[in-house]
Amino acid sequence: MDQRHILVTGGAGYIGSHMTLALLEAGERPLVIDNLSTGSRAVVPAGVPLFEGNVGDAEFVGRIMDAHPIEAIIHFAASIVVPESVTKPLAYYGNNTANARTLLDCAIKRGVPHMVFSSTAAVYGEPERTPVEEDDPTKPINPYGRSKLMVEWMLADVAQAHPFSYAALRYFNVAGADPQGRTGQSTPNATHLIKVAVEAALGKRPGLDIYGTDYPTTDGSCIRDYVHVSDLAQAHLDALRYLRDGKPSITCNIGYANGYSVLEVIEVVKRVSGVDFEVRIKGRRAGDPAALIASNQRALSALNWTPHHDDLEQIVRDALAWERRLG
Ligand code: UFG
């Protein structure tokens, strides 16, 4: 095996910490960069070097790359809250788009051959059909989606111009936690539905607000495709293998091709936790598309991705177990 390192940006965060565990289990040598703005040192496994700083700091990133040969970058570090991107667009274009450019520039100057990029279903905006396929139009309806789509464009241009290949993985709604309880979502003031719902079930917040029940969906609440974070980490390992095999750059949806409404998710959280927490119906939240469901054929066939946790109850059970552990 190539003994160069895999650089995980945002490796002290929710998805990045699952990735680092998966890399270690696969016999890889991860290095973590994280500015600890939302991440936590505690979820970086023992023995994995953590460099505290910003991926937009070329001098900092360059020093790490000069000292450690890097075979691939898995780039998670980003801002991820859709409604926040609407009120703070420049923060999103800075952190997500401009910082990715700096990171790529450092990588290309040093001949790093591969990147796996955390893209998002938000690049589609309000899809014309569901399940949405990768070649369907990308018309993001919020700054978050646009900040990520611009990085996809940059990657495509860079891969044309340099000896470099990438996998852009368009995540749908990532949720759950490591089934062995080693890491999970620790983000303070989380806004994501399943995290908020399990906090409500454990009495950590006074119930949950539903943002809109007047969407053109079966029960009026928004529909999303919830994917277990451990299956998502596995998709990155599969993408890494794909790129190492010398295959061409690729863009893949990562979801289960299954949609659940907000009301259905809340019902599952109530059932699994046994707690009937308070739910309040509010108006729509800015930037929310009505329905987002992945076609995952490309990930299954090209990456050979095999999901093992395609089960909303398991996602909720694992999220609850981690939330209890957080205390
Ligand atoms: N929701 C509520 N109440 C809450 C939280 C969420 O009703 O307290 C609703 C939202 O309005 C939305 C759905 O639950 O309809 C899911 O919302 P999340 O905040 O959990 O996730 P988003 O769909 O807004 O965004 C997430 C990721 C993005 C990604 C997107 C892709 O944060 O990075 O999924 O589908 F792009």
Side-chain angles (χ1 to χ4, degrees), residues 79-83 119-123 142 144-145 148 170-174 190-197 205 207-212 215 221-226 260-262 266 280 283-290 292-293:
S79 303
I80 59 156
V81 178
V82 171
S119 190
T120 169
V123 300
N142 50 55
Y144 171 66
K148 290 280 188 171
R170 293 178 177 162
Y171 311 163
F172 283 62
N173 287 56
V174 187
T191 59
H192 289 132
L193 179 64
I194 291 182
K195 172 84 175 167
V196 169
R205 58 169 83 213
L208 175 151
D209 294 335
I210 298 181
Y211 301 126
Y215 284 94
S221 66
C222 290
I223 293 178
R224 295 288 185 272
D225 186 339
Y226 294 90
Y260 292 93
S261 73
V262 172
I266 292 170
R280 300 164 293 255
R284 291 186 181 194
R285 195 176 72 172
D288 276 348
L292 274 174
I293 301 173

Side-chain angles (χ1 to χ4, degrees), residues 5-57:
H5 296 272
I6 308 296
L7 180 62
V8 183
T9 75
Y14 169 44
I15 303 174
S17 64
H18 290 81
M19 187 72 242
T20 306
L21 284 172
L23 285 165
L24 285 177
E25 280 172 4
E28 304 286 354
R29 301 172 72 204
L31 298 178
V32 168
I33 291 184
D34 203 297
N35 65 6
L36 301 180
S37 61
T38 56
S40 146
R41 192 179 291 278
V43 296
V44 179
V48 174
L50 165 64
F51 299 95
E52 192 179 337
N54 200 315
V55 293
D57 178 345

Side-chain angles (χ1 to χ4, degrees), residues 59-227:
E59 207 248 324
F60 164 73
V61 172
R63 247 186 293 122
I64 296 166
M65 288 182 176
D66 288 339
H68 307 275
I70 306 290
E71 187 201 1
I73 301 171
I74 308 186
H75 179 37
F76 294 103
S79 303
I80 59 156
V81 178
V82 171
E84 185 184 55
S85 80
V86 176
T87 55
K88 298 181 183 164
L90 293 175
Y92 276 68
Y93 291 122
N95 203 25
N96 295 359
T97 316
N99 285 0
R101 199 214 71 88
T102 303
L103 179 67
L104 263 172
D105 190 38
C106 290
I108 294 301
K109 283 183 174 141
R110 289 165 182 83
V112 174
H114 308 300
M115 180 181 279
V116 182
F117 172 61
S118 303
S119 190
T120 169
V123 300
Y124 295 113
E126 196 76 71
E128 281 160 24
R129 59 170 177 174
T130 50
V132 60
E133 293 183 10
E134 290 84 351
D135 294 332
D136 286 354
T138 45
K139 295 182 191 160
I141 59 170
N142 50 55
Y144 171 66
R146 285 188 276 273
S147 74
K148 290 280 188 171
L149 183 57
M150 283 194 266
V151 181
E152 287 197 13
W153 291 340
M154 256 193 289
L155 285 165
D157 291 338
V158 168
Q160 286 293 322
H162 300 281
F164 170 84
S165 63
Y166 69 90
L169 304 185
R170 293 178 177 162
Y171 311 163
F172 283 62
N173 287 56
V174 187
D178 175 46
Q180 295 177 48
R182 295 167 297 179
T183 184
Q185 192 169 9
S186 309
T187 331
N189 309 315
T191 59
H192 289 132
L193 179 64
I194 291 182
K195 172 84 175 167
V196 169
V198 299
E199 285 177 359
L202 296 183
K204 295 186 183 185
R205 58 169 83 213
L208 175 151
D209 294 335
I210 298 181
Y211 301 126
T213 51
D214 60 345
Y215 284 94
T217 58
T218 40
D219 64 20
S221 66
C222 290
I223 293 178
R224 295 288 185 272
D225 186 339
Y226 294 90
V227 56

